Amino acid sequence: LDRSGRLSILNTAWADFTGGPDPGGALASRFGLSQAECRETLLGADAQPALDPDVLISRFEGGSDPAEGTVIFIRLHWSELFKDLFVCVAAELLAGRCVLLVSDPRVPGLAQGLADLLLGAGLPPDALALLHDDGETVLRAALVSPWVGGFVLSGFEHQELPDERGSGGGFGEGIVERASTAWSFRLLAPCTLCVGVDADPRLAARRVAGELFSRLPSLSGQLPGMPSIVEVPPRLFSAFTTELLLALEPPEGGAVSDAHPCPWVDGALATYLEQTLTDGIDGGATLIHEERRPSFSGDPASGTILRLVFTNVEREMRLLEQVRPAPVVLLRRGDPDSTSTHSTA
């Protein structure tokens, strides 16, 4: 297929997806969302039925793009959701490369749904292969295979291409000459929000509470890019903290937290939250808000943590050594002259 033919197939698949992104409701059920909420989460609020080819940009750095026909290994973390996954895969297909797509075992339906759409739209079967795996087994095999010429990965812990990609044990070794390998890793992280010296503490606090703890847009704090670390100018620190706690109070006669918070897609998040609680208290940070799902025993202190807020967080604390997307707000005093900005943590 030439470029126009490939683009036509991608447009057909995208149109089918925007028309009904979750047939059967399996993903909505997995995320604990309604169908309307699931569509907004998977597509984004501004998704258009027509695919803009200008957004189909390969994640490889300029100048290192693999040649047409190269096999590209793609394994994205589930939290990149469908739109980013579609754009990532589609960019490689549009460039004439073949894709070996490995699903995230926590939500394999994302990759499966994408493969079904593309093949249903007429994509040649030899252009896309889908594997369901723990992600690591296939990656280890791909790293020693001369057939794979590029890797696109994402996750919470940075990963680099090994210095030596195997030594003779891979299928095809000695038959296919190994070319240089293209590598792209996207580090997924929460962000640091710097509250400006002239900011309204009430509005800033409600923004943090709404973005991080609500079902949308963060799946109750599970998606990257949300303001987990908040730096507040010293003169606003007390007012911001008060307003944040007020924003987290249940409405009159309402539930303790946002109605029906999303279930944890990754069960390890519950363990991470417990460890964060321990690290914060042991390290000297001040816990000012803790909320849990009531356990079956009815003890409100024994259920899974829903959200945490710490204040008096210092830069050298262990609490900040491994920060991943989670319903946790870490408040620390910032530069008095800072302006309101977002940055990665």
Side-chain angles (χ1 to χ4, degrees), residues 12-81:
T12 299
W14 180 252
D16 289 344
F17 178 68
T18 56
D22 184 27
L27 292 176
S29 176
R30 183 74 178 92
F31 297 138
L33 302 173
S34 68
Q35 282 287 348
E37 289 174 327
C38 188
R39 186 183 192 284
E40 180 177 343
T41 299
L42 294 176
L43 286 172
D46 58 348
Q48 301 296 319
L51 183 64
D52 182 358
D54 291 337
V55 307
L56 300 183
I57 301 173
S58 174
R59 292 193 182 185
F60 296 118
E61 295 290 338
S64 64
D65 287 359
E68 286 193 23
T70 303
V71 176
I72 306 299
F73 179 103
I74 296 179
R75 188 196 68 188
L76 301 189
H77 190 270
W78 72 265
S79 63
E80 294 216 53
L81 297 174

Short mmCIF file of all heavy atoms in Angstrom, two decimals, residues 12-81:
data_model
loop_
_atom_site.label_atom_id
_atom_site.label_comp_id
_atom_site.label_asym_id
_atom_site.label_seq_id
_atom_site.Cartn_x
_atom_site.Cartn_y
_atom_site.Cartn_z
N THR A 12 -10.58 5.10 8.29
CA THR A 12 -11.74 4.22 8.47
C THR A 12 -11.77 3.66 9.88
O THR A 12 -12.82 3.64 10.54
CB THR A 12 -11.70 3.07 7.45
OG1 THR A 12 -11.74 3.61 6.13
CG2 THR A 12 -12.88 2.13 7.65
N ALA A 13 -10.62 3.20 10.38
CA ALA A 13 -10.56 2.64 11.73
C ALA A 13 -10.87 3.70 12.77
O ALA A 13 -11.59 3.44 13.74
CB ALA A 13 -9.18 2.05 11.98
N TRP A 14 -10.34 4.92 12.57
CA TRP A 14 -10.59 5.99 13.53
C TRP A 14 -12.07 6.38 13.55
O TRP A 14 -12.65 6.59 14.62
CB TRP A 14 -9.73 7.20 13.20
CG TRP A 14 -9.93 8.37 14.13
CD1 TRP A 14 -10.55 9.54 13.85
CD2 TRP A 14 -9.51 8.45 15.50
NE1 TRP A 14 -10.56 10.36 14.94
CE2 TRP A 14 -9.92 9.72 15.98
CE3 TRP A 14 -8.84 7.59 16.36
CZ2 TRP A 14 -9.66 10.13 17.28
CZ3 TRP A 14 -8.59 8.02 17.67
CH2 TRP A 14 -9.00 9.27 18.11
N ALA A 15 -12.68 6.46 12.38
CA ALA A 15 -14.11 6.80 12.31
C ALA A 15 -14.95 5.74 13.00
O ALA A 15 -15.91 6.06 13.72
CB ALA A 15 -14.53 6.96 10.85
N ASP A 16 -14.60 4.48 12.80
CA ASP A 16 -15.33 3.40 13.49
C ASP A 16 -15.19 3.51 15.00
O ASP A 16 -16.14 3.29 15.75
CB ASP A 16 -14.82 2.04 13.02
CG ASP A 16 -15.23 1.72 11.59
OD1 ASP A 16 -16.14 2.39 11.07
OD2 ASP A 16 -14.63 0.80 10.99
N PHE A 17 -13.99 3.87 15.44
CA PHE A 17 -13.76 3.98 16.88
C PHE A 17 -14.53 5.13 17.49
O PHE A 17 -15.16 4.99 18.53
CB PHE A 17 -12.27 4.12 17.17
CG PHE A 17 -11.97 4.29 18.63
CD1 PHE A 17 -12.18 3.25 19.51
CD2 PHE A 17 -11.49 5.49 19.12
CE1 PHE A 17 -11.91 3.40 20.87
CE2 PHE A 17 -11.23 5.65 20.46
CZ PHE A 17 -11.45 4.60 21.34
N THR A 18 -14.46 6.31 16.86
CA THR A 18 -15.16 7.46 17.42
C THR A 18 -16.67 7.26 17.41
O THR A 18 -17.39 7.85 18.21
CB THR A 18 -14.81 8.75 16.65
OG1 THR A 18 -15.10 8.57 15.26
CG2 THR A 18 -13.34 9.09 16.83
N GLY A 19 -17.14 6.42 16.50
CA GLY A 19 -18.57 6.14 16.47
C GLY A 19 -19.04 5.28 17.62
O GLY A 19 -20.21 5.33 18.01
N GLY A 20 -18.16 4.50 18.20
CA GLY A 20 -18.52 3.63 19.33
C GLY A 20 -17.27 3.02 19.91
O GLY A 20 -16.88 1.91 19.54
N PRO A 21 -16.57 3.75 20.81
CA PRO A 21 -15.24 3.33 21.23
C PRO A 21 -15.21 2.10 22.14
O PRO A 21 -14.14 1.52 22.34
CB PRO A 21 -14.73 4.56 22.00
CG PRO A 21 -15.97 5.25 22.48
CD PRO A 21 -16.98 5.03 21.40
N ASP A 22 -16.35 1.70 22.67
CA ASP A 22 -16.32 0.59 23.63
C ASP A 22 -17.51 -0.34 23.40
O ASP A 22 -18.41 -0.43 24.24
CB ASP A 22 -16.33 1.14 25.06
CG ASP A 22 -16.20 0.04 26.11
OD1 ASP A 22 -15.62 -1.01 25.79
OD2 ASP A 22 -16.68 0.25 27.24
N PRO A 23 -17.54 -1.03 22.27
CA PRO A 23 -18.67 -1.93 22.01
C PRO A 23 -18.74 -3.01 23.08
O PRO A 23 -17.74 -3.65 23.40
CB PRO A 23 -18.33 -2.53 20.63
CG PRO A 23 -16.86 -2.34 20.47
CD PRO A 23 -16.52 -1.09 21.20
N GLY A 24 -19.94 -3.18 23.61
CA GLY A 24 -20.13 -4.17 24.66
C GLY A 24 -19.88 -3.65 26.06
O GLY A 24 -20.26 -4.29 27.04
N GLY A 25 -19.20 -2.51 26.17
CA GLY A 25 -19.00 -1.89 27.48
C GLY A 25 -17.93 -2.53 28.35
O GLY A 25 -17.87 -2.27 29.54
N ALA A 26 -17.05 -3.37 27.76
CA ALA A 26 -16.05 -4.06 28.56
C ALA A 26 -15.07 -3.09 29.22
O ALA A 26 -14.71 -3.25 30.40
CB ALA A 26 -15.29 -5.07 27.70
N LEU A 27 -14.62 -2.07 28.46
CA LEU A 27 -13.66 -1.12 29.02
C LEU A 27 -14.32 -0.22 30.06
O LEU A 27 -13.72 0.09 31.09
CB LEU A 27 -13.05 -0.28 27.91
CG LEU A 27 -12.13 -1.04 26.95
CD1 LEU A 27 -11.66 -0.13 25.83
CD2 LEU A 27 -10.94 -1.63 27.69
N ALA A 28 -15.55 0.19 29.81
CA ALA A 28 -16.27 1.01 30.79
C ALA A 28 -16.39 0.26 32.11
O ALA A 28 -16.20 0.83 33.19
CB ALA A 28 -17.65 1.38 30.26
N SER A 29 -16.69 -1.01 32.02
CA SER A 29 -16.79 -1.82 33.23
C SER A 29 -15.43 -1.94 33.92
O SER A 29 -15.35 -1.86 35.15
CB SER A 29 -17.33 -3.21 32.87
OG SER A 29 -17.36 -4.05 34.00
N ARG A 30 -14.37 -2.11 33.13
CA ARG A 30 -13.03 -2.25 33.71
C ARG A 30 -12.62 -0.99 34.46
O ARG A 30 -11.98 -1.06 35.51
CB ARG A 30 -12.03 -2.54 32.59
CG ARG A 30 -10.60 -2.78 33.08
CD ARG A 30 -10.49 -4.13 33.74
NE ARG A 30 -9.15 -4.42 34.19
CZ ARG A 30 -8.68 -4.16 35.41
NH1 ARG A 30 -9.47 -3.58 36.30
NH2 ARG A 30 -7.43 -4.47 35.74
N PHE A 31 -12.97 0.17 33.92
CA PHE A 31 -12.58 1.44 34.54
C PHE A 31 -13.61 1.94 35.55
O PHE A 31 -13.37 2.95 36.21
CB PHE A 31 -12.37 2.51 33.47
CG PHE A 31 -11.25 2.21 32.52
CD1 PHE A 31 -11.39 2.46 31.16
CD2 PHE A 31 -10.06 1.68 32.96
CE1 PHE A 31 -10.36 2.19 30.28
CE2 PHE A 31 -9.02 1.41 32.09
CZ PHE A 31 -9.17 1.66 30.74
N GLY A 32 -14.74 1.29 35.64
CA GLY A 32 -15.78 1.75 36.55
C GLY A 32 -16.47 3.02 36.10
O GLY A 32 -16.84 3.88 36.90
N LEU A 33 -16.66 3.16 34.77
CA LEU A 33 -17.23 4.37 34.19
C LEU A 33 -18.55 4.06 33.49
O LEU A 33 -18.81 2.92 33.12
CB LEU A 33 -16.26 4.97 33.16
CG LEU A 33 -14.87 5.36 33.65
CD1 LEU A 33 -14.00 5.78 32.46
CD2 LEU A 33 -14.94 6.48 34.68
N SER A 34 -19.32 5.11 33.28
CA SER A 34 -20.48 4.99 32.41
C SER A 34 -19.97 4.99 30.97
O SER A 34 -18.81 5.32 30.70
CB SER A 34 -21.43 6.16 32.62
OG SER A 34 -20.84 7.38 32.18
N GLN A 35 -20.84 4.66 30.01
CA GLN A 35 -20.43 4.66 28.61
C GLN A 35 -20.00 6.06 28.17
O GLN A 35 -19.02 6.22 27.44
CB GLN A 35 -21.57 4.14 27.73
CG GLN A 35 -21.73 2.63 27.73
CD GLN A 35 -20.63 1.93 26.93
OE1 GLN A 35 -19.88 2.55 26.20
NE2 GLN A 35 -20.54 0.62 27.09
N ALA A 36 -20.74 7.08 28.61
CA ALA A 36 -20.39 8.46 28.23
C ALA A 36 -19.04 8.85 28.82
O ALA A 36 -18.20 9.47 28.14
CB ALA A 36 -21.48 9.42 28.70
N GLU A 37 -18.80 8.50 30.10
CA GLU A 37 -17.52 8.82 30.72
C GLU A 37 -16.38 8.06 30.04
O GLU A 37 -15.29 8.60 29.85
CB GLU A 37 -17.56 8.44 32.20
CG GLU A 37 -18.43 9.35 33.05
CD GLU A 37 -18.55 8.83 34.48
OE1 GLU A 37 -18.54 7.59 34.68
OE2 GLU A 37 -18.67 9.66 35.39
N CYS A 38 -16.64 6.82 29.67
CA CYS A 38 -15.61 6.02 29.02
C CYS A 38 -15.22 6.61 27.67
O CYS A 38 -14.04 6.67 27.32
CB CYS A 38 -16.10 4.58 28.87
SG CYS A 38 -14.81 3.43 28.28
N ARG A 39 -16.21 7.06 26.91
CA ARG A 39 -15.91 7.66 25.61
C ARG A 39 -15.02 8.88 25.78
O ARG A 39 -14.03 9.06 25.06
CB ARG A 39 -17.19 8.04 24.88
CG ARG A 39 -16.96 8.53 23.46
CD ARG A 39 -18.24 8.97 22.77
NE ARG A 39 -18.02 9.15 21.35
CZ ARG A 39 -17.40 10.20 20.79
NH1 ARG A 39 -16.92 11.15 21.56
NH2 ARG A 39 -17.24 10.27 19.48
N GLU A 40 -15.34 9.74 26.75
CA GLU A 40 -14.55 10.95 26.98
C GLU A 40 -13.13 10.59 27.42
O GLU A 40 -12.15 11.21 27.01
CB GLU A 40 -15.21 11.82 28.04
CG GLU A 40 -14.45 13.11 28.33
CD GLU A 40 -15.14 14.01 29.33
OE1 GLU A 40 -16.36 13.82 29.55
OE2 GLU A 40 -14.49 14.90 29.88
N THR A 41 -13.01 9.55 28.25
CA THR A 41 -11.70 9.15 28.74
C THR A 41 -10.85 8.55 27.63
O THR A 41 -9.66 8.86 27.49
CB THR A 41 -11.86 8.12 29.88
OG1 THR A 41 -12.58 8.72 30.95
CG2 THR A 41 -10.50 7.66 30.40
N LEU A 42 -11.43 7.68 26.82
CA LEU A 42 -10.67 7.01 25.76
C LEU A 42 -10.28 7.93 24.63
O LEU A 42 -9.20 7.83 24.06
CB LEU A 42 -11.49 5.84 25.21
CG LEU A 42 -11.75 4.67 26.16
CD1 LEU A 42 -12.64 3.64 25.49
CD2 LEU A 42 -10.46 4.03 26.61
N LEU A 43 -11.17 8.85 24.29
CA LEU A 43 -10.95 9.70 23.13
C LEU A 43 -10.44 11.09 23.47
O LEU A 43 -9.80 11.74 22.64
CB LEU A 43 -12.27 9.86 22.34
CG LEU A 43 -12.73 8.65 21.54
CD1 LEU A 43 -14.12 8.90 21.00
CD2 LEU A 43 -11.78 8.38 20.41
N GLY A 44 -10.75 11.57 24.66
CA GLY A 44 -10.49 12.97 24.97
C GLY A 44 -11.73 13.78 24.62
O GLY A 44 -12.52 13.42 23.75
N ALA A 45 -11.89 14.90 25.30
CA ALA A 45 -13.11 15.69 25.13
C ALA A 45 -13.21 16.33 23.76
O ALA A 45 -14.31 16.66 23.31
CB ALA A 45 -13.16 16.76 26.22
N ASP A 46 -12.08 16.51 23.06
CA ASP A 46 -12.09 17.25 21.79
C ASP A 46 -11.88 16.35 20.58
O ASP A 46 -11.52 16.81 19.50
CB ASP A 46 -11.01 18.33 21.80
CG ASP A 46 -9.62 17.75 22.04
OD1 ASP A 46 -9.53 16.57 22.42
OD2 ASP A 46 -8.63 18.49 21.86
N ALA A 47 -12.13 15.05 20.72
CA ALA A 47 -11.89 14.13 19.61
C ALA A 47 -12.83 14.41 18.45
O ALA A 47 -14.02 14.65 18.63
CB ALA A 47 -12.07 12.69 20.09
N GLN A 48 -12.28 14.38 17.24
CA GLN A 48 -13.05 14.61 16.02
C GLN A 48 -13.19 13.31 15.24
O GLN A 48 -12.31 12.44 15.29
CB GLN A 48 -12.36 15.66 15.15
CG GLN A 48 -12.16 17.00 15.83
CD GLN A 48 -13.47 17.67 16.17
OE1 GLN A 48 -14.42 17.64 15.37
NE2 GLN A 48 -13.54 18.27 17.34
N PRO A 49 -14.29 13.14 14.49
CA PRO A 49 -14.47 11.90 13.74
C PRO A 49 -13.48 11.72 12.59
O PRO A 49 -13.23 10.61 12.15
CB PRO A 49 -15.91 12.01 13.21
CG PRO A 49 -16.23 13.46 13.25
CD PRO A 49 -15.46 14.02 14.41
N ALA A 50 -12.92 12.83 12.11
CA ALA A 50 -11.93 12.75 11.03
C ALA A 50 -10.53 12.77 11.64
O ALA A 50 -10.22 13.59 12.50
CB ALA A 50 -12.10 13.91 10.07
N LEU A 51 -9.67 11.88 11.19
CA LEU A 51 -8.31 11.77 11.71
C LEU A 51 -7.42 12.81 11.05
O LEU A 51 -7.37 12.92 9.83
CB LEU A 51 -7.78 10.37 11.44
CG LEU A 51 -6.39 10.03 11.97
CD1 LEU A 51 -6.38 10.09 13.49
CD2 LEU A 51 -5.98 8.65 11.50
N ASP A 52 -6.72 13.58 11.86
CA ASP A 52 -5.79 14.59 11.34
C ASP A 52 -4.43 13.93 11.14
O ASP A 52 -3.77 13.55 12.12
CB ASP A 52 -5.68 15.74 12.34
CG ASP A 52 -4.76 16.85 11.84
OD1 ASP A 52 -4.19 16.71 10.74
OD2 ASP A 52 -4.61 17.85 12.56
N PRO A 53 -3.98 13.76 9.90
CA PRO A 53 -2.69 13.09 9.68
C PRO A 53 -1.51 13.83 10.28
O PRO A 53 -0.46 13.24 10.52
CB PRO A 53 -2.59 13.01 8.15
CG PRO A 53 -3.50 14.08 7.65
CD PRO A 53 -4.61 14.17 8.64
N ASP A 54 -1.69 15.13 10.57
CA ASP A 54 -0.59 15.90 11.15
C ASP A 54 -0.26 15.47 12.57
O ASP A 54 0.84 15.77 13.08
CB ASP A 54 -0.92 17.40 11.14
CG ASP A 54 -0.95 17.98 9.73
OD1 ASP A 54 -0.31 17.38 8.84
OD2 ASP A 54 -1.60 19.01 9.52
N VAL A 55 -1.20 14.79 13.24
CA VAL A 55 -0.92 14.33 14.61
C VAL A 55 -0.22 12.98 14.62
O VAL A 55 0.24 12.52 15.67
CB VAL A 55 -2.21 14.26 15.47
CG1 VAL A 55 -2.96 15.57 15.42
CG2 VAL A 55 -3.10 13.11 15.03
N LEU A 56 -0.15 12.33 13.47
CA LEU A 56 0.46 11.00 13.40
C LEU A 56 1.97 11.14 13.25
O LEU A 56 2.55 10.90 12.19
CB LEU A 56 -0.13 10.20 12.24
CG LEU A 56 -1.65 9.98 12.31
CD1 LEU A 56 -2.10 9.11 11.15
CD2 LEU A 56 -2.03 9.31 13.64
N ILE A 57 2.60 11.54 14.33
CA ILE A 57 4.04 11.78 14.35
C ILE A 57 4.70 10.65 15.12
O ILE A 57 4.33 10.35 16.26
CB ILE A 57 4.36 13.13 14.99
CG1 ILE A 57 3.67 14.26 14.21
CG2 ILE A 57 5.86 13.36 15.05
CD1 ILE A 57 3.79 15.61 14.88
N SER A 58 5.69 10.03 14.53
CA SER A 58 6.40 8.95 15.19
C SER A 58 7.08 9.46 16.45
O SER A 58 7.51 10.61 16.53
CB SER A 58 7.45 8.34 14.25
OG SER A 58 8.24 7.39 14.92
N ARG A 59 7.18 8.59 17.45
CA ARG A 59 7.84 8.96 18.70
C ARG A 59 9.36 8.90 18.59
O ARG A 59 10.06 9.28 19.53
CB ARG A 59 7.37 8.06 19.84
CG ARG A 59 5.92 8.28 20.22
CD ARG A 59 5.58 7.62 21.54
NE ARG A 59 4.16 7.80 21.85
CZ ARG A 59 3.59 7.42 22.99
NH1 ARG A 59 4.31 6.81 23.92
NH2 ARG A 59 2.30 7.61 23.20
N PHE A 60 9.88 8.43 17.50
CA PHE A 60 11.32 8.39 17.34
C PHE A 60 11.84 9.79 17.05
O PHE A 60 11.19 10.59 16.36
CB PHE A 60 11.73 7.44 16.22
CG PHE A 60 11.36 6.00 16.48
CD1 PHE A 60 10.47 5.34 15.66
CD2 PHE A 60 11.90 5.34 17.57
CE1 PHE A 60 10.13 4.02 15.90
CE2 PHE A 60 11.56 4.02 17.83
CZ PHE A 60 10.67 3.36 17.00
N GLU A 61 13.02 10.07 17.55
CA GLU A 61 13.63 11.38 17.34
C GLU A 61 13.90 11.60 15.85
O GLU A 61 14.15 10.66 15.10
CB GLU A 61 14.94 11.48 18.11
CG GLU A 61 14.79 11.41 19.63
CD GLU A 61 14.14 12.64 20.20
OE1 GLU A 61 14.19 13.70 19.54
OE2 GLU A 61 13.57 12.54 21.31
N GLY A 62 13.85 12.86 15.44
CA GLY A 62 14.12 13.18 14.05
C GLY A 62 15.50 12.71 13.63
O GLY A 62 16.47 12.88 14.35
N GLY A 63 15.58 12.11 12.46
CA GLY A 63 16.85 11.63 11.96
C GLY A 63 17.12 10.17 12.27
O GLY A 63 18.04 9.57 11.71
N SER A 64 16.32 9.58 13.18
CA SER A 64 16.55 8.17 13.52
C SER A 64 15.36 7.31 13.13
O SER A 64 15.23 6.19 13.61
CB SER A 64 16.82 8.03 15.03
OG SER A 64 15.68 8.42 15.78
N ASP A 65 14.50 7.85 12.28
CA ASP A 65 13.33 7.08 11.88
C ASP A 65 13.74 5.82 11.13
O ASP A 65 14.52 5.89 10.16
CB ASP A 65 12.42 7.92 10.98
CG ASP A 65 11.67 9.00 11.74
OD1 ASP A 65 11.85 9.05 12.97
OD2 ASP A 65 10.92 9.75 11.11
N PRO A 66 13.23 4.66 11.53
CA PRO A 66 13.56 3.42 10.81
C PRO A 66 13.00 3.45 9.39
O PRO A 66 12.06 4.19 9.08
CB PRO A 66 12.88 2.34 11.66
CG PRO A 66 12.63 2.97 12.98
CD PRO A 66 12.40 4.42 12.71
N ALA A 67 13.55 2.62 8.54
CA ALA A 67 13.12 2.56 7.14
C ALA A 67 11.78 1.86 7.02
O ALA A 67 11.31 1.17 7.93
CB ALA A 67 14.18 1.81 6.33
N GLU A 68 11.14 2.05 5.87
CA GLU A 68 9.89 1.33 5.59
C GLU A 68 10.13 -0.17 5.68
O GLU A 68 11.19 -0.67 5.30
CB GLU A 68 9.35 1.69 4.20
CG GLU A 68 8.75 3.08 4.12
CD GLU A 68 7.95 3.26 2.83
OE1 GLU A 68 7.52 2.24 2.25
OE2 GLU A 68 7.77 4.42 2.40
N GLY A 69 9.13 -0.88 6.16
CA GLY A 69 9.23 -2.32 6.29
C GLY A 69 9.85 -2.79 7.59
O GLY A 69 9.81 -3.98 7.90
N THR A 70 10.43 -1.88 8.37
CA THR A 70 11.03 -2.25 9.64
C THR A 70 9.95 -2.68 10.63
O THR A 70 8.87 -2.09 10.68
CB THR A 70 11.82 -1.07 10.23
OG1 THR A 70 12.81 -0.65 9.30
CG2 THR A 70 12.48 -1.43 11.55
N VAL A 71 10.24 -3.68 11.44
CA VAL A 71 9.32 -4.12 12.49
C VAL A 71 9.55 -3.27 13.73
O VAL A 71 10.68 -3.16 14.22
CB VAL A 71 9.52 -5.61 12.83
CG1 VAL A 71 8.63 -6.02 14.00
CG2 VAL A 71 9.22 -6.47 11.61
N ILE A 72 8.47 -2.66 14.23
CA ILE A 72 8.53 -1.80 15.42
C ILE A 72 7.79 -2.48 16.56
O ILE A 72 6.61 -2.83 16.44
CB ILE A 72 7.91 -0.42 15.15
CG1 ILE A 72 8.56 0.23 13.91
CG2 ILE A 72 8.05 0.47 16.38
CD1 ILE A 72 10.04 0.47 14.04
N PHE A 73 8.46 -2.67 17.67
CA PHE A 73 7.88 -3.25 18.87
C PHE A 73 7.23 -2.12 19.67
O PHE A 73 7.89 -1.14 20.02
CB PHE A 73 8.99 -3.92 19.69
CG PHE A 73 8.54 -4.54 20.99
CD1 PHE A 73 8.38 -5.91 21.10
CD2 PHE A 73 8.31 -3.75 22.11
CE1 PHE A 73 7.99 -6.49 22.31
CE2 PHE A 73 7.92 -4.32 23.32
CZ PHE A 73 7.75 -5.69 23.42
N ILE A 74 5.92 -2.25 19.95
CA ILE A 74 5.22 -1.21 20.70
C ILE A 74 4.55 -1.84 21.92
O ILE A 74 3.76 -2.78 21.81
CB ILE A 74 4.15 -0.51 19.84
CG1 ILE A 74 4.81 0.24 18.69
CG2 ILE A 74 3.32 0.46 20.68
CD1 ILE A 74 3.83 0.94 17.76
N ARG A 75 4.91 -1.31 23.09
CA ARG A 75 4.27 -1.72 24.33
C ARG A 75 4.06 -0.47 25.18
O ARG A 75 5.01 0.07 25.75
CB ARG A 75 5.12 -2.72 25.11
CG ARG A 75 4.41 -3.32 26.33
CD ARG A 75 5.39 -4.00 27.28
NE ARG A 75 6.26 -3.02 27.91
CZ ARG A 75 7.32 -3.35 28.67
NH1 ARG A 75 7.64 -4.61 28.83
NH2 ARG A 75 8.07 -2.42 29.23
N LEU A 76 2.82 0.00 25.24
CA LEU A 76 2.51 1.20 26.01
C LEU A 76 1.79 0.82 27.29
O LEU A 76 1.00 -0.13 27.33
CB LEU A 76 1.63 2.16 25.19
CG LEU A 76 2.19 2.66 23.86
CD1 LEU A 76 1.29 3.75 23.29
CD2 LEU A 76 3.62 3.16 24.00
N HIS A 77 2.05 1.58 28.32
CA HIS A 77 1.34 1.39 29.59
C HIS A 77 -0.14 1.68 29.39
O HIS A 77 -0.51 2.58 28.61
CB HIS A 77 1.92 2.34 30.65
CG HIS A 77 1.44 2.07 32.04
ND1 HIS A 77 0.32 2.66 32.55
CD2 HIS A 77 1.91 1.23 33.00
CE1 HIS A 77 0.12 2.23 33.79
NE2 HIS A 77 1.08 1.36 34.08
N TRP A 78 -0.98 0.95 30.09
CA TRP A 78 -2.43 1.08 29.87
C TRP A 78 -2.92 2.51 30.06
O TRP A 78 -3.91 2.93 29.43
CB TRP A 78 -3.20 0.14 30.81
CG TRP A 78 -3.19 0.59 32.25
CD1 TRP A 78 -2.33 0.19 33.22
CD2 TRP A 78 -4.07 1.55 32.87
NE1 TRP A 78 -2.60 0.84 34.40
CE2 TRP A 78 -3.67 1.68 34.21
CE3 TRP A 78 -5.15 2.31 32.41
CZ2 TRP A 78 -4.31 2.53 35.11
CZ3 TRP A 78 -5.79 3.17 33.31
CH2 TRP A 78 -5.38 3.26 34.64
N SER A 79 -2.25 3.28 30.92
CA SER A 79 -2.75 4.63 31.24
C SER A 79 -2.61 5.61 30.09
O SER A 79 -3.14 6.72 30.15
CB SER A 79 -2.04 5.18 32.48
OG SER A 79 -0.65 5.32 32.25
N GLU A 80 -1.90 5.22 29.02
CA GLU A 80 -1.91 6.08 27.83
C GLU A 80 -3.23 5.99 27.08
O GLU A 80 -3.51 6.80 26.19
CB GLU A 80 -0.73 5.72 26.91
CG GLU A 80 0.63 6.01 27.53
CD GLU A 80 1.63 6.48 26.50
OE1 GLU A 80 1.33 7.43 25.76
OE2 GLU A 80 2.72 5.88 26.44
N LEU A 81 -4.02 4.97 27.41
CA LEU A 81 -5.38 4.81 26.90
C LEU A 81 -5.41 4.71 25.37
O LEU A 81 -4.39 4.52 24.72
CB LEU A 81 -6.28 5.93 27.43
CG LEU A 81 -6.44 5.90 28.96
CD1 LEU A 81 -7.22 7.11 29.43
CD2 LEU A 81 -7.12 4.62 29.42
#
